[in-house]
Amino acid sequence: MGINITFSKTTRKAQDTAVIVVYSDKKLNNQAADLDKKTGGFIKQALKNHGKFSGKNGETLALSLPEKSPFTQALLLGLGDASMLTPIKAEEAGGKLYMTLKQAGAENVTLFVDGHTKLKTVNEAELAAHIGNGIKLRSYTFDHYKSKKKDTKSALKSITVTTPPQAKAASLFKTLSSVSEGTFLARDLVNEPPNTLHPPHFAKTLQSELKPLGVEVKILDEKEMKKLGMGAILAVGMGSDQPPRMVIMRWKGNKNDKSAPVAFVGKGVTFDTGGISIKPAGGMDEMKMDMGGAAAVCGLMKSLALRKSKANVIGIVGLAENMPSAKAYRPGDIVKSLSGKTIEVLNTDAEGRLVLADCLTYVQKTYKPRMIIDLATLTGAMMVALGHEYCGSFVNDNSLWEKMEKASAISGEKLWRMPLDPLWKQEMESATADLQNLGKTRYAGACTAAGFLEHFIEGKTPWAHMDIAGTAWRKSDKPTSPRFGTGFGVRVLDRLVADNYEKK
Ligand code: BES
Ligand code: ZN
Ligand code: ZN
């Protein structure tokens, strides 16, 4: 069960833990000063005695309060320099606070956010809402495969944020929460093991998750895909007993907007063994995350629907399992993509680009979108280049990149622009077929992959390819994201849609 996070002007019920926000100046604000008085100056004294607690962002200090205090314990949460505080920093502090509250055995918590007069880049309502959202993002768990459930009796149950701009904070938190719920769907899909989350099951999950929210969900099965001529994605799925699927999701948030929709495309390789060009055994289990792009697109659709976005958006995911078998596609095969272009397969482990190729063609032919962004855990090379922190983004349009950069700065999901050079596009031409799925050298692997995809973008459609190989999955915690599936992409793309493609 999740934590109940609410906003209130005053403290109502008896709570066990009070959270006091402290900046680098270590001054106590209204409610905190009041509590200090009620405890006979205990908190101020503790601040003085604990020389180590400096109030820097995310720092915490738990204090057992004297008997007869209104709370059993107080937890000091550092937020650093008030004038430098941003929504992202507030979320990170919220994430760290969540972990400390859990360790301190807090159950029902009051968080004071009032009297913050020195804020510049965030107001009090935003501060309250973003700390709340940081707590929410960090509280995500994926434990339904654990037979023994953790003791939930003494778990963190509720957080009441007491803040004067209560209504504003609550309404902003509601919007942020919708995006977090979308992020959780993406995390769940990435964390789900590949024996359950194969393409047909993935497609059905989308139907049950998104249809009730008003998202149209259309599933193409392998027969329809064959009929349409999707030879690229079908080749990838051939080795598996679980047939491929393509799922088209549509959110019509604005019936009056007659302009073309925007489209998001996701690579959904539910497990990537490499196929006949098989991967080494070590760490292969992690290749269940090779559907992280598809997961992000689905999470985005969920967040748009939950917050009733006034945009018209298409989401398409190509779902296939890349397995070696007697039926599998081979290195040397030449396949015909939906676009009509033939592709020589030189390595069956470069399968993501084949999946994306047919999705890109389908979305352009069917919906003529005004903008396309694809997300894919496409290359190990991307991870080598930018690690887990930045998502390399290849963009053919400067104005689209500007929008993405802004959305990235606001959401905190970091993007870095990568080059699209005509030379790499050219490098993907084959001697025997129209294209080949491998570069001519082993260098610039993320860039040649982008060059391959560029062959499937028609005309001058603004397009971005986000290689999330490094950002979709990590083995260590971050303040607002516990280890494993991160849900990367949902937050930045939700922001992008909110700021650029919603007509009021
Ligand atoms: N899914 C992998 C890329 C990947 C690697 C994602 C590590 C996340 C972590 C992709 O299908 C792949 O295997 N790419 C190959 C391409 C190569 C054969 C040109 C790669 O990166 O090695
Ligand atoms: Zn692969
Ligand atoms: Zn892959």
Side-chain angles (χ1 to χ4, degrees):
M1 218 186 61
I3 319 163
N4 190 21
I5 302 173
T6 52
F7 296 80
S8 160
K9 277 201 202 301
T10 51
T11 319
R12 286 189 214 118
K13 287 179 287 174
Q15 314 267 286
D16 53 73
T17 306
V19 177
I20 295 169
V21 169
V22 184
Y23 294 97
S24 315
D25 63 10
K26 297 202 209 169
K27 280 195 184 129
L28 296 181
N29 290 326
N30 309 357
Q31 296 177 85
D34 194 42
L35 179 62
D36 182 57
K37 256 191 220 145
K38 283 184 184 149
T39 59
F42 186 86
I43 297 165
K44 268 195 192 145
Q45 196 58 42
L47 265 172
K48 233 190 229 161
N49 293 348
H50 280 271
K52 270 196 202 149
F53 183 83
S54 64
K56 72 169 192 251
N57 197 280
E59 196 179 3
T60 51
L61 178 67
L63 303 170
S64 294
L65 293 179
E67 256 179 76
K68 290 189 190 139
S69 304
F71 296 90
T72 321
Q73 60 178 344
L75 213 140
L76 307 186
L77 171 68
L79 283 185
D81 183 344
S83 67
M84 307 278 275
L85 193 60
T86 60
I88 298 167
K89 281 191 188 153
E91 272 181 9
E92 286 176 354
K96 288 180 187 159
L97 169 64
Y98 170 77
M99 292 312 286
T100 319
L101 284 170
K102 256 182 54 169
Q103 278 154 13
E107 288 181 32
N108 296 296
V109 176
T110 295
L111 165 66
F112 302 139
V113 180
D114 72 336
H116 296 251
T117 50
K118 290 186 183 150
L119 298 171
K120 278 196 180 131
T121 42
V122 61
N123 62 39
E124 208 163 74
E126 287 168 340
L127 175 60
H130 282 278
I131 295 179
N133 193 43
I135 294 170
K136 180 172 173 123
L137 280 167
R138 184 58 190 266
S139 72
Y140 169 85
T141 52
F142 184 81
D143 57 8
H144 58 260
Y145 286 98
K146 289 259 189 209
S147 310
K148 266 197 198 150
K149 296 286 171 240
K150 285 209 180 112
D151 177 18
T152 49
K153 257 187 257 152
S154 60
L156 189 50
K157 292 189 184 80
S158 76
I159 298 191
T160 313
V161 187
T162 59
T163 187
Q166 172 260 339
K168 266 194 188 159
S171 133
L172 174 57
F173 179 73
K174 196 169 168 233
T175 309
L176 296 172
S177 265
S178 302
V179 186
S180 297
E181 290 297 329
T183 304
F184 292 173
L185 172 60
R187 289 178 183 176
D188 276 347
L189 289 167
V190 170
N191 291 333
E192 191 63 30
N195 57 332
T196 57
L197 198 76
H198 48 67
H201 180 69
F202 196 139
K204 281 207 186 107
T205 305
L206 295 184
Q207 231 164 13
S208 60
E209 275 279 340
L210 298 175
K211 262 195 167 170
L213 303 178
V215 179
E216 288 172 20
V217 181
K218 185 169 129 182
I219 301 176
L220 299 181
D221 65 18
E222 73 274 27
K223 278 188 213 114
E224 289 160 289
M225 291 160 79
K226 222 173 255 169
K227 216 165 126 196
L228 288 163
M230 297 183 171
I233 180 172
L234 284 167
V236 174
M238 250 162 50
S240 171
D241 277 351
Q242 298 293 349
R245 294 282 183 267
M246 193 175 285
V247 182
I248 301 105
M249 295 157 277
R250 186 161 196 184
W251 172 249
K252 288 182 183 156
N254 195 332
K255 303 247 160 36
N256 300 325
D257 183 1
K258 296 286 179 255
S259 52
V262 292
F264 297 93
V265 175
K267 167 181 173 182
V269 173
T270 58
F271 193 66
D272 184 11
T273 64
I276 297 298
S277 317
I278 198 160
K279 285 182 183 296
M284 204 203 270
D285 57 293
E286 290 182 40
M287 276 303 128
K288 71 171 183 178
M289 56 71 96
D290 210 19
M291 31 55 70
V297 171
C298 302
L300 172 66
M301 298 310 284
K302 179 165 182 175
S303 78
L304 295 175
L306 282 176
R307 66 174 185 77
K308 303 202 166 47
S309 157
K310 288 200 175 344
N312 294 331
V313 180
I314 306 280
I316 292 207
V317 294
L319 308 173
E321 187 181 42
N322 190 17
M323 296 290 272
S325 81
K327 294 183 296 175
Y329 77 139
R330 294 151 288 254
D333 281 3
I334 293 179
V335 302
K336 190 166 182 180
S337 66
L338 179 63
S339 70
K341 289 182 179 161
T342 54
I343 305 164
E344 185 181 17
V345 177
L346 294 181
N347 188 319
T348 62
D349 197 12
E351 84 297 339
R353 57 199 77 183
L354 301 178
V355 170
L356 289 174
D358 281 348
C359 292
L360 287 168
T361 304
Y362 185 83
V363 77
Q364 289 168 100
K365 292 254 179 294
T366 318
Y367 302 102
K368 309 228 167 345
R370 58 202 261 229
M371 182 280 279
I372 307 171
I373 295 184
D374 77 69
L375 294 101
T377 48
L378 204 64
T379 64
M382 190 75 259
M383 212 155 103
V384 172
L386 298 182
H388 290 304
E389 209 57 42
Y390 275 85
C391 159
S393 306
F394 301 81
V395 194
N396 70 355
D397 181 277
N398 290 337
S399 132
L400 174 58
W401 168 245
E402 268 173 35
K403 295 179 177 108
M404 290 170 70
E405 214 178 8
K406 275 190 195 135
S408 165
I410 297 171
S411 68
E413 289 192 325
K414 297 176 197 166
L415 305 181
W416 192 257
R417 192 173 186 179
M418 297 287 291
L420 272 174
D421 195 287
L423 280 173
W424 287 317
K425 187 176 176 190
Q426 207 184 346
E427 188 175 326
M428 304 309 284
E429 287 167 10
S430 153
T432 324
D434 298 329
L435 299 171
Q436 58 183 53
N437 75 337
L438 207 57
K440 304 255 154 64
T441 75
R442 58 190 198 90
Y443 299 111
C447 304
T448 51
F452 178 89
L453 296 177
E454 220 182 340
H455 282 279
F456 296 89
I457 300 301
E458 299 161 12
K460 288 203 164 66
T461 313
W463 159 71
H465 157 58
M466 291 166 56
D467 192 335
I468 58 168
T471 47
W473 172 268
R474 50 192 299 156
K475 283 177 155 173
S476 55
D477 296 335
K478 288 245 298 177
T480 55
S481 150
R483 64 190 170 165
F484 307 133
T486 61
F488 186 95
V490 176
R491 299 164 72 201
V492 62
L493 295 179
D494 179 85
R495 195 72 250 160
L496 181 82
V497 171
D499 289 345
N500 302 284
Y501 304 103
E502 287 184 358
K503 280 202 181 150
K504 299 288 169 317

